[in-house]
Amino acid sequence: MSDTSVVSTQLDIEAIRAEFPVLHQQVNGKPLVYFDNAATNQKPLQVINALKHHYEADNANIHRGIHTLAERSTTAFEDTRKAVQTFINANEAEEIIFTKGTTESINLVASSWGRKFLQSGDEIIVSGLEHHSNIVPWQLIAQEKGAKVRAIPVMENGDLDIAAFSQLLSDKTRLVAVNHASNSLGTINPVKQIIEMAHARGAKVLIDGAQASSHLPIDVQQLNADFYAFSAHKMYGPTGVGILYGKRSLLEKMPPYQGGGEMIKEVSFEKTTFNDIPYKFEAGTPNIADVVAFKAAIDFINRVGKEHIAQYEEQLLTYATSQLKNIEGVKIIGEALHKVSVVSFVVEGIHHFDLGMWMDAKGVAVRTGHHCTQPLMDRFCIEGTTRASFSVYNTIEEIDVFIGALKDIIKKLKP
Amino acid sequence: MSQSIQDVQNEIIEEFSMLDGDMEMTIGYVMELGETLEPLEEEKKTEENIVKGCQSKVWLDAQLQGDKIHFKADSNTAITKGLVSILVRILSGRSPKEIVDADLFFIDKVGLNRFIGTQRSNGLGAMIKQMKIYGLAFATQVKSQ
């Protein structure tokens, strides 16, 4: 390991790759290069086996059953809750609510907290970097309540304009909802500072951590976040599992989000009393098997080590960025100083749709389009980008394949 | 234009079969076909003429000339333009009834469904639907002529 090598890591990447069966296949006759990790990343055997084991050995509905399988399922389900608590350093496991994804986590807060605490004339501040899922739920509740949604502008390099944010904050601000890292550009936002500034004006803060959860250390107590939302499937875990962290003091004051089984204490036709948190927000049978398997994903990240993952991904990002910059006609969108392993770019004279299709023909999976961030695309006066995003199992060699493919496509398509 | 809709489709199937299912060659050929598309006047590229459901933008214009419908189209992406050009080649210059009744079997035979994928073939589906809607709309005009 020398300082001059392109990538130095303590990780055995080949061994890690061997844990991901899906990576070892040909797509359109070419070895798969999977660079769509910001959309969802792949699952290690540990997770796949945990899912299989649950259905083969333990499957039962949780919390109410008195038989052995119900006990095993319940224990496994609640073990994941504890693992999540530790993973984000929440004060207690009851502050972890399982949802079906980041989107539902945000909708839960918008519906429940928003319906109770928002009033006409109040303001919600989002940012110009947000995914539609951290814009639209706020627009819906704002419309219902006569509140207003305002947006922190994005600077040319892809960073948020914090000075402008400071101007937007006022006594009318009730909530600030921003992402920890941008899905489109990769920008890592100064969420601790944003939270401090919002709290100073008495506003609550929700952090959309979907793009941060597998790349950055998350400590909700240190951040002092009021709400933190993320998804299992972007951190090597199964789809259909989301997490909402909320401070106990807030969650307890919030009304239920959906009604049904599990969330009640007692039901009569005259009056129903609700269960304690987190169950108050988990109506109906949850996604038991995927929640159980999600613990294996957390174990995977902990075993490999988040700081090792972050360090290695940073090297992949740096290498890919420098290679892209060498290609004439390629313009990187978003060059914030602090980024997760996402690089978005446009190619002069070539539509991202054509580029993405041709990349696929060469076995390279990238994402093209507006990435569910249309306001951000408007900000940069573009229709969309091509986005490559990296996970710990990706390699420098794969980036070389991607760059080679890109050069070849440009040569073919350039008018 | 003496070839039937079936004949043109068979011709297209034959052309694509020479590519041996190679994805890059297929895409390249689709793009090449796009370049042969009769240009659509800039003023016809209106919001009204945009076909909904496409991931990329497609403008489709239809004019009744005598008892035949003449299609012109364009797209902002080369691949979609190629796909539209195939539809135009098959359906333009046909009677409204022929267009409405057309069975577009070439899509499965050429493997376009497979390589376009669900989301994008919905776009192709939307184009076909729009062409058939024009067929229906013009059918009444032709009858009353």
Side-chain angles (χ1 to χ4, degrees), chain B residues 9-139:
Chain B
Q9 291 189 83
N10 284 327
E11 196 178 85
I12 291 166
I13 292 165
E14 174 79 25
E15 288 165 20
F16 274 86
S17 74
M18 289 188 276
L19 306 171
D20 278 338
D22 180 283
M23 186 73 80
E24 284 197 67
M25 281 164 67
T26 305
I27 291 178
Y29 186 59
V30 167
M31 284 186 177
E32 242 174 68
L33 291 177
E35 283 162 23
T36 64
L37 190 63
E38 183 184 358
L40 177 69
E41 299 81 358
E42 280 305 310
E43 64 268 22
K44 296 271 177 68
K45 293 182 187 172
T46 59
E47 277 295 311
E48 244 178 25
N49 279 341
I50 288 181
V51 180
K52 301 267 188 293
C54 295
Q55 230 191 45
S56 42
K57 245 182 224 168
V58 172
W59 296 271
L60 180 69
D61 176 66
Q63 301 290 333
L64 191 65
Q65 293 174 0
D67 59 352
K68 303 277 198 278
I69 299 177
H70 194 77
F71 288 111
K72 274 190 186 176
D74 200 358
S75 170
N76 61 342
T77 83
I79 293 173
T80 312
K81 191 172 171 178
L83 296 173
V84 186
S85 81
I86 300 172
L87 293 178
V88 169
R89 178 170 154 198
I90 297 168
L91 295 177
S92 194
R94 308 279 175 191
S95 73
K97 188 176 179 336
E98 275 182 293
I99 292 166
V100 173
D101 294 343
D103 167 25
L104 297 172
F105 57 85
F106 81 99
I107 297 173
D108 281 336
K109 291 271 173 64
V110 166
L112 283 185
N113 257 346
R114 186 182 63 81
F115 106 88
I116 294 166
T118 327
Q119 323 166 28
R120 296 163 200 152
S121 67
N122 283 343
L124 192 67
M127 285 182 239
I128 295 167
K129 195 171 156 198
Q130 189 57 41
M131 290 171 124
K132 293 206 170 208
I133 287 171
Y134 275 121
L136 281 172
F138 285 126

Side-chain angles (χ1 to χ4, degrees), chain A residues 28 30 351 353-354 357-358 360-362 383 408 412-413, chain B residues 23-24 27-28 31 55-56 76-80 115 120:
Chain A
N28 295 318
K30 315 276 171 18
H351 195 280
F353 176 85
D354 293 329
M357 286 284 283
W358 209 306
D360 180 59
K362 289 176 175 292
E383 211 184 299
D408 185 50
K412 280 197 177 86
L413 302 189
Chain B
M23 186 73 80
E24 284 197 67
I27 291 178
M31 284 186 177
Q55 230 191 45
S56 42
N76 61 342
T77 83
I79 293 173
T80 312
F115 106 88
R120 296 163 200 152

Side-chain angles (χ1 to χ4, degrees), chain A residues 140-173:
Chain A
L140 289 172
I141 192 69
Q143 205 168 20
E144 191 181 313
K145 291 291 186 171
K148 201 171 165 189
V149 177
R150 310 190 70 181
I152 309 169
V154 179
M155 299 193 294
E156 196 54 38
N157 73 343
D159 271 326
L160 287 181
D161 186 339
I162 296 300
F165 171 52
S166 152
Q167 298 291 312
L168 282 174
L169 275 170
S170 77
D171 296 337
K172 291 183 195 161
T173 313

Side-chain angles (χ1 to χ4, degrees), chain A residues 183-230:
Chain A
N183 70 309
S184 285
L185 309 186
T187 310
I188 298 171
N189 290 316
V191 285
K192 190 167 165 51
Q193 185 189 1
I194 289 171
I195 291 168
E196 274 168 15
M197 289 168 73
H199 283 171
R201 302 305 292 257
K204 304 295 179 210
V205 182
L206 176 139
I207 303 295
D208 168 358
Q211 294 298 331
S213 50
S214 72
H215 307 287
L216 303 172
I218 298 162
D219 183 331
V220 290
Q221 292 190 77
Q222 193 256 341
L223 288 175
N224 200 12
D226 298 298
F227 301 103
Y228 196 100
F230 56 110

